[in-house]
Amino acid sequence: YLKEAFDLLENAPLVETTWRVGLALGDAYRRRGLRAKAEGYLRIAVDTIAHLASRFRSDSLRTRFLDTHGRREPEHALAMLSDRSTS
């Protein structure tokens, strides 16, 4: 697994990797029923993406950025986690 992770990280920008790892960890903890840990990692992913998106001055560029490469997935996963806790 470490070699596979290294191969993936070698060509990926660090900040992009940060939110992807946060999403993966959040999903793994969610599947194990560890809601608080899942939420924490999903928030890291969402906050990281929000920080990146905030650098775009143009709304259309920001939207295009958010709509590509699965960048909306952490936000959706966090919303689903919250919905399950209130049901």
Side-chain angles (χ1 to χ4, degrees):
Y1 291 113
L2 292 176
K3 174 68 171 120
E4 183 180 339
F6 181 79
D7 290 343
L8 291 171
L9 293 174
E10 192 171 34
N11 295 316
L14 185 58
V15 179
E16 284 288 322
T17 303
T18 301
W19 75 258
R20 289 180 187 281
V21 170
L23 174 61
L25 285 168
D27 186 51
Y29 282 121
R30 178 196 53 77
R31 283 184 274 123
R32 289 171 177 78
L34 300 170
R35 187 187 175 284
K37 284 189 176 187
E39 185 177 345
Y41 283 105
L42 291 172
R43 286 196 185 282
I44 288 170
V46 168
D47 291 348
T48 302
I49 293 168
H51 173 72
L52 291 171
S54 73
R55 294 181 171 182
F56 291 95
R57 292 184 181 161
S58 162
D59 288 340
S60 64
L61 287 177
R62 186 178 314 110
T63 299
R64 207 172 337 163
F65 170 79
L66 291 170
D67 288 342
T68 58
H69 303 290
R71 292 187 183 108
R72 298 237 188 234
E73 286 179 47
E75 189 174 17
H76 294 306
L78 188 58
M80 287 177 55
L81 187 65
S82 296
D83 288 347
R84 288 184 185 149
S85 70
T86 58
S87 343

Coordinates of all heavy atoms in Angstrom, one line a residue:
Y1 N 0.8 -1.2 0.0 CA 0.0 0.0 0.0 C 0.9 1.3 0.0 O 0.5 2.3 -0.6 CB -1.0 0.0 1.2 CG -2.0 -1.0 1.1 CD1 -2.1 -2.1 2.0 CD2 -3.0 -0.9 0.1 CE1 -3.1 -3.0 1.9 CE2 -4.0 -1.8 0.0 CZ -4.1 -2.9 0.9 OH -5.1 -3.8 0.8
L2 N 2.0 1.2 0.7 CA 2.8 2.4 0.8 C 3.4 2.8 -0.6 O 3.5 3.9 -1.0 CB 3.9 2.2 1.8 CG 3.5 2.2 3.3 CD1 4.6 1.9 4.2 CD2 2.8 3.5 3.7
K3 N 3.8 1.8 -1.4 CA 4.4 2.0 -2.7 C 3.3 2.6 -3.6 O 3.5 3.6 -4.3 CB 4.9 0.7 -3.3 CG 5.4 0.8 -4.7 CD 6.6 1.7 -4.9 CE 7.1 1.6 -6.3 NZ 7.2 2.9 -6.9
E4 N 2.1 2.1 -3.5 CA 1.0 2.6 -4.3 C 0.7 4.0 -3.9 O 0.5 4.9 -4.8 CB -0.3 1.7 -4.1 CG -1.5 2.2 -4.9 CD -2.7 1.3 -4.7 OE1 -2.5 0.1 -4.2 OE2 -3.8 1.7 -5.0
A5 N 0.7 4.3 -2.6 CA 0.4 5.7 -2.1 C 1.5 6.6 -2.6 O 1.2 7.7 -3.1 CB 0.4 5.7 -0.6
F6 N 2.8 6.2 -2.5 CA 3.9 7.0 -3.0 C 3.7 7.3 -4.5 O 3.9 8.4 -4.9 CB 5.2 6.3 -2.7 CG 6.4 7.1 -3.2 CD1 6.8 8.2 -2.4 CD2 7.0 6.9 -4.4 CE1 7.9 9.0 -2.9 CE2 8.1 7.6 -4.8 CZ 8.5 8.7 -4.0
D7 N 3.4 6.3 -5.3 CA 3.2 6.5 -6.7 C 2.1 7.5 -7.0 O 2.3 8.4 -7.9 CB 2.9 5.2 -7.4 CG 4.1 4.2 -7.4 OD1 5.2 4.7 -7.2 OD2 3.8 3.0 -7.6
L8 N 1.1 7.5 -6.2 CA 0.0 8.5 -6.4 C 0.4 9.9 -6.0 O 0.1 10.8 -6.7 CB -1.2 8.0 -5.6 CG -2.0 6.8 -6.1 CD1 -3.0 6.4 -5.1 CD2 -2.6 7.0 -7.5
L9 N 1.2 10.0 -4.9 CA 1.6 11.3 -4.4 C 2.7 11.9 -5.2 O 2.8 13.1 -5.3 CB 2.1 11.1 -3.0 CG 1.1 10.7 -1.9 CD1 1.7 10.5 -0.6 CD2 0.0 11.8 -1.8
E10 N 3.5 11.1 -5.9 CA 4.6 11.6 -6.6 C 4.3 12.7 -7.6 O 5.0 13.6 -7.8 CB 5.3 10.4 -7.3 CG 6.7 10.8 -7.8 CD 7.4 9.5 -8.3 OE1 6.8 8.6 -8.8 OE2 8.6 9.5 -8.2
N11 N 3.1 12.5 -8.3 CA 2.7 13.5 -9.3 C 1.5 14.4 -8.9 O 1.0 15.1 -9.8 CB 2.4 12.7 -10.6 CG 3.6 12.0 -11.1 OD1 4.7 12.6 -11.2 ND2 3.4 10.8 -11.5
A12 N 1.1 14.3 -7.7 CA 0.0 15.1 -7.3 C 0.4 16.3 -6.4 O 1.3 16.1 -5.5 CB -1.0 14.2 -6.5
P13 N -0.2 17.4 -6.6 CA 0.1 18.6 -5.7 C -0.3 18.2 -4.2 O -1.3 17.5 -4.0 CB -0.7 19.7 -6.2 CG -1.1 19.3 -7.6 CD -1.1 17.8 -7.6
L14 N 0.5 18.7 -3.3 CA 0.3 18.3 -1.9 C -1.1 18.7 -1.4 O -1.8 17.9 -0.7 CB 1.4 19.0 -1.0 CG 1.3 18.6 0.5 CD1 1.4 17.1 0.6 CD2 2.4 19.3 1.2
V15 N -1.6 19.9 -1.7 CA -2.9 20.3 -1.2 C -4.0 19.5 -1.8 O -5.0 19.1 -1.1 CB -3.1 21.8 -1.5 CG1 -4.4 22.3 -1.0 CG2 -2.0 22.7 -0.8
E16 N -3.9 19.1 -3.0 CA -4.9 18.3 -3.6 C -4.9 16.9 -2.9 O -5.9 16.3 -2.7 CB -4.6 18.1 -5.1 CG -5.0 19.2 -6.0 CD -6.6 19.4 -6.1 OE1 -7.3 18.4 -6.2 OE2 -7.0 20.5 -6.2
T17 N -3.7 16.4 -2.6 CA -3.6 15.2 -1.9 C -4.2 15.2 -0.5 O -4.8 14.3 -0.1 CB -2.1 14.7 -1.8 OG1 -1.6 14.7 -3.2 CG2 -1.9 13.4 -1.2
T18 N -4.0 16.3 0.1 CA -4.6 16.5 1.5 C -6.1 16.3 1.5 O -6.6 15.6 2.4 CB -4.2 17.9 2.0 OG1 -2.8 18.1 2.0 CG2 -4.8 18.1 3.4
W19 N -6.8 16.9 0.6 CA -8.3 16.8 0.7 C -8.7 15.4 0.3 O -9.6 14.8 0.8 CB -9.0 17.9 0.0 CG -9.0 17.8 -1.5 CD1 -8.3 18.5 -2.4 CD2 -9.9 17.0 -2.3 NE1 -8.6 18.2 -3.7 CE2 -9.6 17.3 -3.7 CE3 -10.9 16.0 -2.1 CZ2 -10.3 16.6 -4.7 CZ3 -11.5 15.4 -3.1 CH2 -11.2 15.7 -4.4
R20 N -7.9 14.8 -0.6 CA -8.3 13.4 -1.1 C -8.1 12.4 0.0 O -8.9 11.5 0.2 CB -7.5 13.0 -2.3 CG -8.0 13.8 -3.5 CD -7.2 13.4 -4.8 NE -7.5 14.2 -5.9 CZ -8.6 14.1 -6.6 NH1 -9.4 13.2 -6.4 NH2 -8.8 14.9 -7.7
V21 N -7.0 12.6 0.8 CA -6.7 11.7 1.9 C -7.8 11.9 3.0 O -8.3 11.0 3.6 CB -5.3 11.9 2.5 CG1 -5.1 11.2 3.8 CG2 -4.3 11.4 1.4
G22 N -8.1 13.2 3.3 CA -9.2 13.5 4.2 C -10.5 12.8 3.9 O -11.2 12.2 4.7
L23 N -10.8 12.8 2.6 CA -12.1 12.2 2.1 C -12.0 10.7 2.3 O -12.9 10.1 2.8 CB -12.3 12.5 0.6 CG -13.5 11.8 -0.1 CD1 -14.8 12.2 0.6 CD2 -13.5 12.2 -1.6
A24 N -10.9 10.1 1.9 CA -10.7 8.6 2.1 C -10.8 8.2 3.5 O -11.4 7.2 3.9 CB -9.4 8.2 1.5
L25 N -10.1 9.0 4.4 CA -10.1 8.6 5.8 C -11.5 8.8 6.4 O -12.0 8.0 7.2 CB -9.1 9.5 6.6 CG -7.7 9.0 6.5 CD1 -6.7 10.1 7.0 CD2 -7.4 7.7 7.1
G26 N -12.2 9.9 6.0 CA -13.6 10.1 6.5 C -14.5 9.0 6.0 O -15.3 8.5 6.8
D27 N -14.3 8.6 4.8 CA -15.2 7.5 4.3 C -14.9 6.2 5.1 O -15.8 5.4 5.5 CB -14.9 7.3 2.8 CG -15.9 6.2 2.3 OD1 -17.1 6.3 2.5 OD2 -15.4 5.3 1.6
A28 N -13.6 5.9 5.3 CA -13.2 4.7 6.1 C -13.8 4.7 7.5 O -14.3 3.7 8.0 CB -11.7 4.6 6.1
Y29 N -13.7 5.8 8.2 CA -14.2 5.9 9.5 C -15.7 5.8 9.5 O -16.3 5.2 10.4 CB -13.7 7.2 10.2 CG -12.3 7.1 10.7 CD1 -11.3 8.0 10.3 CD2 -12.0 6.1 11.7 CE1 -10.0 7.9 10.8 CE2 -10.7 6.0 12.1 CZ -9.7 6.9 11.7 OH -8.4 6.8 12.2
R30 N -16.4 6.4 8.5 CA -17.8 6.3 8.4 C -18.3 4.9 8.3 O -19.2 4.4 9.0 CB -18.3 7.1 7.2 CG -19.9 7.1 7.1 CD -20.3 7.5 5.7 NE -19.6 6.9 4.6 CZ -19.9 5.6 4.1 NH1 -20.8 4.9 4.7 NH2 -19.2 5.1 3.1
R31 N -17.6 4.1 7.5 CA -17.9 2.7 7.3 C -17.8 1.9 8.5 O -18.4 0.9 8.7 CB -17.1 2.1 6.1 CG -17.6 2.5 4.7 CD -16.9 1.9 3.6 NE -15.7 2.7 3.3 CZ -14.5 2.2 3.3 NH1 -14.2 0.9 3.6 NH2 -13.5 3.0 3.0
R32 N -16.9 2.3 9.4 CA -16.6 1.6 10.7 C -17.5 2.1 11.8 O -17.4 1.7 12.9 CB -15.2 1.8 11.1 CG -14.2 1.0 10.2 CD -12.8 1.3 10.5 NE -11.9 0.5 9.7 CZ -11.6 0.7 8.4 NH1 -12.1 1.6 7.7 NH2 -10.7 -0.1 7.8
G33 N -18.4 3.1 11.5 CA -19.3 3.6 12.5 C -18.7 4.7 13.4 O -19.3 5.0 14.4
L34 N -17.5 5.2 13.1 CA -16.8 6.2 13.9 C -17.2 7.6 13.4 O -16.4 8.2 12.7 CB -15.3 5.9 13.9 CG -15.0 4.5 14.5 CD1 -13.5 4.2 14.3 CD2 -15.3 4.5 16.0
R35 N -18.4 8.0 13.7 CA -18.9 9.2 13.1 C -18.1 10.5 13.4 O -17.8 11.3 12.5 CB -20.3 9.4 13.6 CG -21.0 10.6 12.9 CD -22.4 10.9 13.6 NE -22.9 12.1 13.0 CZ -22.5 13.3 13.2 NH1 -21.6 13.5 14.1 NH2 -23.1 14.3 12.6
A36 N -17.6 10.7 14.6 CA -16.9 11.9 15.0 C -15.5 11.9 14.2 O -15.2 13.0 13.7 CB -16.6 11.9 16.5
K37 N -14.8 10.8 14.1 CA -13.6 10.8 13.3 C -13.9 11.1 11.9 O -13.1 11.8 11.2 CB -12.9 9.5 13.5 CG -12.2 9.4 14.9 CD -11.3 8.2 14.9 CE -10.5 8.2 16.2 NZ -9.5 7.1 16.3
A38 N -14.9 10.5 11.3 CA -15.3 10.7 9.9 C -15.6 12.1 9.7 O -15.1 12.7 8.7 CB -16.5 9.8 9.6
E39 N -16.3 12.7 10.6 CA -16.7 14.1 10.4 C -15.5 15.0 10.4 O -15.3 16.0 9.6 CB -17.7 14.6 11.5 CG -18.2 16.0 11.3 CD -19.2 16.4 12.3 OE1 -19.7 15.5 13.0 OE2 -19.5 17.6 12.5
G40 N -14.5 14.7 11.3 CA -13.3 15.5 11.4 C -12.5 15.5 10.1 O -12.1 16.6 9.6
Y41 N -12.3 14.3 9.6 CA -11.5 14.2 8.3 C -12.3 14.8 7.1 O -11.7 15.4 6.3 CB -11.1 12.8 8.1 CG -9.9 12.4 8.9 CD1 -10.1 11.6 10.0 CD2 -8.7 12.9 8.7 CE1 -9.0 11.2 10.8 CE2 -7.6 12.6 9.4 CZ -7.8 11.7 10.5 OH -6.7 11.4 11.3
L42 N -13.6 14.7 7.1 CA -14.4 15.3 6.0 C -14.3 16.8 6.1 O -14.3 17.4 5.1 CB -15.8 14.7 6.0 CG -16.0 13.3 5.6 CD1 -17.4 12.8 5.9 CD2 -15.6 13.0 4.2
R43 N -14.3 17.3 7.3 CA -14.2 18.8 7.4 C -12.9 19.3 7.0 O -12.8 20.3 6.4 CB -14.5 19.2 8.9 CG -15.9 19.1 9.3 CD -16.2 19.9 10.6 NE -17.6 19.6 11.0 CZ -18.6 20.2 10.4 NH1 -18.5 21.1 9.4 NH2 -19.8 20.0 10.8
I44 N -11.8 18.5 7.2 CA -10.5 18.9 6.7 C -10.5 19.0 5.2 O -10.0 19.9 4.6 CB -9.4 17.9 7.2 CG1 -9.1 18.1 8.7 CG2 -8.1 18.1 6.4 CD1 -8.3 17.0 9.3
A45 N -11.1 18.0 4.6 CA -11.2 18.0 3.1 C -12.1 19.1 2.6 O -11.6 19.8 1.7 CB -11.9 16.6 2.6
V46 N -13.2 19.4 3.2 CA -14.1 20.5 2.8 C -13.4 21.8 3.0 O -13.4 22.7 2.1 CB -15.4 20.5 3.6 CG1 -16.2 21.7 3.4 CG2 -16.2 19.3 3.2
D47 N -12.7 22.0 4.1 CA -12.0 23.3 4.4 C -10.8 23.5 3.5 O -10.6 24.6 3.0 CB -11.5 23.3 5.9 CG -12.7 23.4 6.9 OD1 -13.8 23.7 6.4 OD2 -12.4 23.2 8.1
T48 N -10.1 22.4 3.1 CA -9.0 22.6 2.2 C -9.5 23.0 0.8 O -8.9 23.9 0.2 CB -8.2 21.2 2.1 OG1 -7.8 20.9 3.4 CG2 -7.0 21.3 1.2
I49 N -10.5 22.4 0.4 CA -11.1 22.7 -1.0 C -11.6 24.2 -0.9 O -11.4 24.9 -1.9 CB -12.2 21.7 -1.4 CG1 -11.5 20.4 -1.6 CG2 -12.9 22.2 -2.6 CD1 -12.5 19.2 -1.8
A50 N -12.3 24.5 0.1 CA -12.8 25.9 0.3 C -11.7 26.9 0.2 O -11.8 28.0 -0.4 CB -13.6 26.1 1.5
H51 N -10.6 26.6 0.9 CA -9.4 27.5 0.9 C -8.9 27.7 -0.6 O -8.6 28.8 -1.0 CB -8.3 27.0 1.8 CG -7.0 27.7 1.7 ND1 -6.9 29.0 2.2 CD2 -5.9 27.4 1.1 CE1 -5.7 29.4 1.9 NE2 -5.0 28.5 1.3
L52 N -8.8 26.5 -1.3 CA -8.3 26.6 -2.7 C -9.3 27.4 -3.5 O -8.8 28.2 -4.3 CB -8.1 25.2 -3.2 CG -7.0 24.3 -2.6 CD1 -7.2 22.9 -3.2 CD2 -5.7 24.9 -3.0
A53 N -10.5 27.2 -3.4 CA -11.5 27.8 -4.2 C -11.6 29.3 -3.9 O -11.9 30.1 -4.8 CB -12.9 27.2 -4.0
S54 N -11.3 29.7 -2.7 CA -11.3 31.1 -2.3 C -10.3 32.0 -3.1 O -10.4 33.2 -3.1 CB -11.1 31.3 -0.8 OG -9.8 31.1 -0.4
R55 N -9.3 31.3 -3.7 CA -8.3 32.1 -4.4 C -8.8 32.6 -5.8 O -8.1 33.4 -6.4 CB -7.1 31.2 -4.5 CG -6.4 30.9 -3.2 CD -5.2 30.1 -3.4 NE -4.5 30.0 -2.1 CZ -3.4 29.4 -2.0 NH1 -2.8 28.7 -3.0 NH2 -2.8 29.3 -0.8
F56 N -9.9 32.0 -6.2 CA -10.4 32.4 -7.5 C -11.3 33.7 -7.3 O -12.2 33.7 -6.5 CB -11.3 31.3 -8.2 CG -10.5 30.1 -8.6 CD1 -10.3 29.0 -7.8 CD2 -9.9 30.1 -9.8 CE1 -9.6 27.9 -8.2 CE2 -9.1 29.0 -10.3 CZ -9.0 27.9 -9.4
R57 N -11.0 34.7 -8.1 CA -11.8 35.9 -8.0 C -13.1 35.8 -8.8 O -14.1 36.4 -8.5 CB -11.0 37.1 -8.4 CG -9.9 37.4 -7.5 CD -9.1 38.6 -7.9 NE -8.0 38.9 -6.9 CZ -7.0 39.6 -7.1 NH1 -6.9 40.2 -8.2 NH2 -6.1 39.7 -6.2
S58 N -13.0 35.0 -9.9 CA -14.2 34.9 -10.8 C -15.1 33.7 -10.2 O -14.6 32.6 -10.0 CB -13.7 34.5 -12.2 OG -14.7 33.9 -12.9
D59 N -16.4 34.0 -10.1 CA -17.3 33.0 -9.7 C -17.4 31.9 -10.7 O -17.5 30.7 -10.2 CB -18.7 33.6 -9.5 CG -18.8 34.5 -8.3 OD1 -18.0 34.4 -7.4 OD2 -19.8 35.4 -8.3
S60 N -17.3 32.1 -11.9 CA -17.4 31.1 -12.9 C -16.2 30.1 -12.9 O -16.3 28.9 -13.0 CB -17.6 31.6 -14.3 OG -16.5 32.4 -14.7
L61 N -15.0 30.7 -12.7 CA -13.8 29.9 -12.5 C -13.8 29.1 -11.2 O -13.5 27.9 -11.2 CB -12.5 30.7 -12.5 CG -12.1 31.3 -13.9 CD1 -10.9 32.2 -13.8 CD2 -11.8 30.2 -14.9
R62 N -14.3 29.7 -10.1 CA -14.4 29.0 -8.9 C -15.4 27.8 -9.0 O -15.1 26.7 -8.6 CB -14.9 30.0 -7.8 CG -15.0 29.4 -6.4 CD -15.4 30.3 -5.3 NE -14.8 31.6 -5.4 CZ -15.4 32.8 -5.8 NH1 -16.7 32.8 -6.1 NH2 -14.7 33.9 -5.8
T63 N -16.5 28.0 -9.7 CA -17.5 27.0 -9.9 C -16.9 25.9 -10.7 O -17.1 24.7 -10.4 CB -18.8 27.5 -10.5 OG1 -19.3 28.5 -9.6 CG2 -19.8 26.5 -10.8
R64 N -16.2 26.2 -11.8 CA -15.6 25.2 -12.6 C -14.6 24.4 -11.8 O -14.5 23.2 -12.0 CB -15.0 25.9 -13.8 CG -14.9 25.0 -15.0 CD -14.4 25.6 -16.3 NE -14.6 27.0 -16.4 CZ -14.0 27.8 -17.2 NH1 -13.2 27.3 -18.1 NH2 -14.2 29.1 -17.3
F65 N -13.8 25.1 -11.0 CA -12.8 24.4 -10.2 C -13.5 23.4 -9.2 O -13.1 22.2 -9.1 CB -12.0 25.4 -9.3 CG -11.2 24.8 -8.3 CD1 -9.9 24.3 -8.6 CD2 -11.6 24.8 -6.9 CE1 -9.1 23.8 -7.6 CE2 -10.8 24.3 -6.0 CZ -9.6 23.8 -6.3
L66 N -14.6 23.8 -8.6 CA -15.3 23.0 -7.6 C -16.0 21.8 -8.3 O -16.2 20.8 -7.7 CB -16.3 23.8 -6.8 CG -15.7 24.8 -5.8 CD1 -16.8 25.7 -5.3 CD2 -14.9 24.1 -4.7
D67 N -16.4 22.0 -9.6 CA -17.2 21.0 -10.3 C -16.3 19.9 -11.0 O -16.8 19.1 -11.6 CB -18.1 21.6 -11.3 CG -19.3 22.4 -10.6 OD1 -19.6 22.1 -9.5 OD2 -19.9 23.2 -11.3
T68 N -15.0 20.0 -10.8 CA -14.1 19.1 -11.5 C -13.4 18.2 -10.4 O -13.2 18.6 -9.3 CB -13.1 19.8 -12.4 OG1 -12.3 20.7 -11.6 CG2 -13.8 20.5 -13.5
H69 N -12.9 17.1 -10.9 CA -12.0 16.2 -10.1 C -12.6 15.7 -8.8 O -11.8 15.5 -7.8 CB -10.7 16.8 -9.9 CG -10.0 17.2 -11.2 ND1 -9.5 16.3 -12.1 CD2 -9.8 18.4 -11.8 CE1 -9.0 16.9 -13.1 NE2 -9.1 18.2 -13.0
G70 N -13.9 15.7 -8.7 CA -14.5 15.2 -7.5 C -14.5 16.1 -6.3 O -14.6 15.7 -5.1
R71 N -14.2 17.4 -6.5 CA -14.0 18.3 -5.4 C -15.3 18.6 -4.6 O -15.2 19.1 -3.5 CB -13.4 19.6 -5.9 CG -12.0 19.4 -6.4 CD -11.4 20.8 -6.7 NE -10.0 20.5 -7.3 CZ -9.7 20.7 -8.5 NH1 -10.6 21.1 -9.4 NH2 -8.5 20.5 -8.9
R72 N -16.4 18.2 -5.1 CA -17.7 18.3 -4.3 C -18.0 17.1 -3.4 O -18.8 17.2 -2.6 CB -18.8 18.6 -5.3 CG -18.7 19.9 -6.1 CD -19.8 20.8 -5.8 NE -19.8 22.0 -6.7 CZ -19.8 23.2 -6.3 NH1 -19.9 23.5 -5.0 NH2 -19.7 24.2 -7.2
E73 N -17.3 16.0 -3.7 CA -17.5 14.8 -2.9 C -17.4 14.9 -1.4 O -18.3 14.5 -0.7 CB -16.6 13.7 -3.4 CG -16.9 13.1 -4.7 CD -15.9 12.0 -5.2 OE1 -15.6 11.2 -4.3 OE2 -15.5 12.1 -6.3
P74 N -16.4 15.6 -0.9 CA -16.3 15.7 0.6 C -17.5 16.5 1.2 O -18.0 16.1 2.2 CB -15.0 16.5 0.8 CG -14.2 16.2 -0.4 CD -15.2 16.1 -1.5
E75 N -17.9 17.5 0.5 CA -19.1 18.3 1.0 C -20.4 17.4 1.0 O -21.1 17.4 2.0 CB -19.3 19.5 0.1 CG -20.3 20.5 0.6 CD -20.3 21.7 -0.2 OE1 -19.9 21.7 -1.4 OE2 -20.9 22.7 0.3
H76 N -20.6 16.6 0.0 CA -21.7 15.7 -0.1 C -21.6 14.6 1.0 O -22.6 14.3 1.6 CB -21.8 15.1 -1.5 CG -22.2 16.1 -2.6 ND1 -23.2 17.0 -2.5 CD2 -21.5 16.4 -3.8 CE1 -23.3 17.7 -3.6 NE2 -22.2 17.4 -4.4
A77 N -20.4 14.1 1.1 CA -20.2 13.0 2.2 C -20.5 13.6 3.6 O -21.2 12.9 4.4 CB -18.8 12.5 2.1
L78 N -20.1 14.8 3.8 CA -20.3 15.4 5.1 C -21.8 15.7 5.3 O -22.3 15.4 6.4 CB -19.5 16.7 5.2 CG -19.5 17.4 6.6 CD1 -18.9 16.5 7.7 CD2 -18.6 18.7 6.5
A79 N -22.5 16.1 4.3 CA -23.9 16.4 4.4 C -24.7 15.1 4.6 O -25.6 15.0 5.5 CB -24.4 17.0 3.1
M80 N -24.3 14.0 4.0 CA -24.9 12.7 4.2 C -24.7 12.2 5.6 O -25.6 11.7 6.2 CB -24.4 11.7 3.1 CG -25.0 12.0 1.7 SD -24.3 10.8 0.5 CE -24.7 9.2 1.2
L81 N -23.5 12.4 6.1 CA -23.2 12.0 7.4 C -24.0 12.8 8.4 O -24.6 12.2 9.4 CB -21.7 12.2 7.7 CG -21.1 11.7 9.0 CD1 -21.2 10.2 9.1 CD2 -19.7 12.2 9.2
S82 N -24.2 14.0 8.2 CA -25.0 14.9 9.1 C -26.5 14.5 9.0 O -27.2 14.4 10.0 CB -24.9 16.3 8.7 OG -23.6 16.8 9.0
D83 N -27.0 14.2 7.8 CA -28.4 13.7 7.6 C -28.7 12.4 8.3 O -29.7 12.3 8.9 CB -28.7 13.5 6.1 CG -28.8 14.9 5.4 OD1 -28.8 15.9 6.0 OD2 -28.8 14.8 4.1
R84 N -27.7 11.5 8.3 CA -27.9 10.2 9.0 C -27.9 10.4 10.5 O -28.6 9.6 11.2 CB -26.8 9.3 8.6 CG -26.9 8.8 7.2 CD -25.9 7.8 6.9 NE -26.0 7.4 5.5 CZ -25.0 7.0 4.7 NH1 -23.8 6.9 5.2 NH2 -25.2 6.8 3.4
S85 N -27.2 11.4 11.0 CA -27.2 11.5 12.5 C -28.4 12.2 13.0 O -28.8 12.0 14.2 CB -26.0 12.4 12.9 OG -26.1 13.7 12.5
T86 N -29.2 12.9 12.2 CA -30.4 13.5 12.6 C -31.6 12.7 12.3 O -32.7 13.0 12.8 CB -30.6 14.9 11.9 OG1 -30.6 14.7 10.5 CG2 -29.5 15.8 12.3
S87 N -31.5 11.5 11.6 CA -32.6 10.7 11.4 C -32.8 9.6 12.4 O -32.0 9.3 13.2 CB -32.5 9.9 10.1 OG -31.6 10.4 9.1

